[in-house]
Amino acid sequence: MKSFLLTKVRLSVYFWLFFVLYIILSLILPNYTFESGTLTLFSVNSFLYGFYISPILGAQKSRIEEFHKIIRAESNALFSLVLHLKKLPKALRNEFQALVKHYIRSKLKQGKNGGEKEYEALITRCIEYKGEHQETIDKTLESLVLNQQNRTNYAMQLRSTVFANEWQIMAILFSITLGFILTLQIGTAPIFIIIQSLLCTGLTMLIVILIKLNTLTHKKAKQMWDPLKKLVETNFYRID
């Protein structure tokens, strides 16, 4: 799946990078003692940030769960389809099975928009077939058409991403929250600097996790392809 280079970096690496960065910023940035009005503003902004990002994070996690269900449903459909092809002569069965495998591999390789041409080729081959095994091929075509619902659901979930205006609002609230925390006078004790840096790191990691969920580069998102991978690896003998 194509993605930005930064989305391929592991979350654990991001954590330590940000932690070190915020320790450095805590040591070099000037600190201020905020008045009650400023602290109230900080509290309101922090509340809005948490209130705004929480449902978006939840929605993206639910989106990943839906992807898992959709791809597993398609894997089951393709598994059943190939089992049905066992009724065909070996040469014809191998031809259709190769088309199905080519579709899966294209989907795994290209990710978001992969497999479109390969799926059309599979349907076209069924439509063009005329022969003594017409009943089996017709049922195969019927299975492919029914599976189109899974592909439609998959396409719908692909469009359920975080909108640009939502990113803008989160960026504003995040920047303000981070600025307040890093410039707040908390003393020079190392433990307070560590706590301050950890808090900033945690807030930043929420954004990083959201980006990874949104771009389907999170570890949980990558695992959704496991059923299709298992089909190809076992030559349609097993489904994960």
Side-chain angles (χ1 to χ4, degrees), residues 109-163:
K109 182 179 180 180
Q110 301 175 30
K112 293 183 178 179
N113 300 313
E116 292 294 331
K117 293 181 180 180
E118 290 76 12
Y119 202 79
E120 290 177 8
L122 191 53
I123 292 177
T124 300
R125 182 66 182 90
C126 290
I127 294 175
E128 291 178 347
Y129 176 84
K130 303 297 179 184
E132 59 178 307
H133 303 286
Q134 192 67 51
E135 182 180 353
T136 302
I137 299 301
D138 287 344
K139 289 183 177 180
T140 300
L141 178 59
E142 182 180 347
S143 298
L144 290 171
V145 173
L146 290 174
N147 182 57
Q148 188 61 37
Q149 182 61 49
N150 291 320
R151 291 166 45 77
T152 300
N153 292 337
Y154 175 81
M156 290 175 61
Q157 289 299 325
L158 281 179
R159 294 192 291 269
S160 300
T161 55
V162 182
F163 296 113

Side-chain angles (χ1 to χ4, degrees), residues 199-237:
L199 181 57
C200 292
T201 301
L203 292 172
T204 307
M205 289 301 294
L206 287 177
I207 296 293
V208 175
I209 291 171
L210 181 57
I211 292 173
K212 279 183 165 286
L213 289 173
N214 187 61
T215 56
L216 302 181
T217 54
H218 192 278
K219 183 178 180 180
K220 188 172 181 61
K222 293 178 180 179
Q223 290 172 347
M224 69 187 184
W225 301 107
D226 288 349
L228 288 176
K229 289 180 180 178
K230 182 63 68 175
L231 280 181
V232 174
E233 290 171 359
T234 62
N235 198 28
F236 300 96
Y237 281 101

Side-chain angles (χ1 to χ4, degrees), residues 147-206:
N147 182 57
Q148 188 61 37
Q149 182 61 49
N150 291 320
R151 291 166 45 77
T152 300
N153 292 337
Y154 175 81
M156 290 175 61
Q157 289 299 325
L158 281 179
R159 294 192 291 269
S160 300
T161 55
V162 182
F163 296 113
N165 63 309
E166 293 176 322
W167 283 118
Q168 292 169 0
I169 295 172
M170 282 188 289
I172 292 171
L173 296 174
F174 168 73
S175 300
I176 295 173
T177 303
L178 209 62
F180 270 115
I181 295 173
L182 287 173
T183 57
L184 180 63
Q185 178 60 258
I186 58 172
T188 58
I191 186 62
F192 293 137
I193 294 176
I194 291 175
I195 292 173
Q196 185 182 47
S197 301
L198 284 174
L199 181 57
C200 292
T201 301
L203 292 172
T204 307
M205 289 301 294
L206 287 177

Side-chain angles (χ1 to χ4, degrees), residues 67-79 100-109 111 114-115 119 147 150-151 154 222-240:
F67 272 121
H68 276 269
K69 294 177 183 178
I70 292 167
I71 293 176
R72 179 168 291 280
E74 181 171 19
S75 300
N76 285 327
L78 294 175
F79 182 67
V100 175
K101 187 176 293 186
H102 185 45
Y103 161 69
I104 294 175
R105 284 175 173 165
S106 299
K107 195 175 183 69
L108 291 173
K109 182 179 180 180
Y119 202 79
N147 182 57
N150 291 320
R151 291 166 45 77
Y154 175 81
K222 293 178 180 179
Q223 290 172 347
M224 69 187 184
W225 301 107
D226 288 349
L228 288 176
K229 289 180 180 178
K230 182 63 68 175
L231 280 181
V232 174
E233 290 171 359
T234 62
N235 198 28
F236 300 96
Y237 281 101
R238 277 189 58 193
I239 183 171
D240 188 18

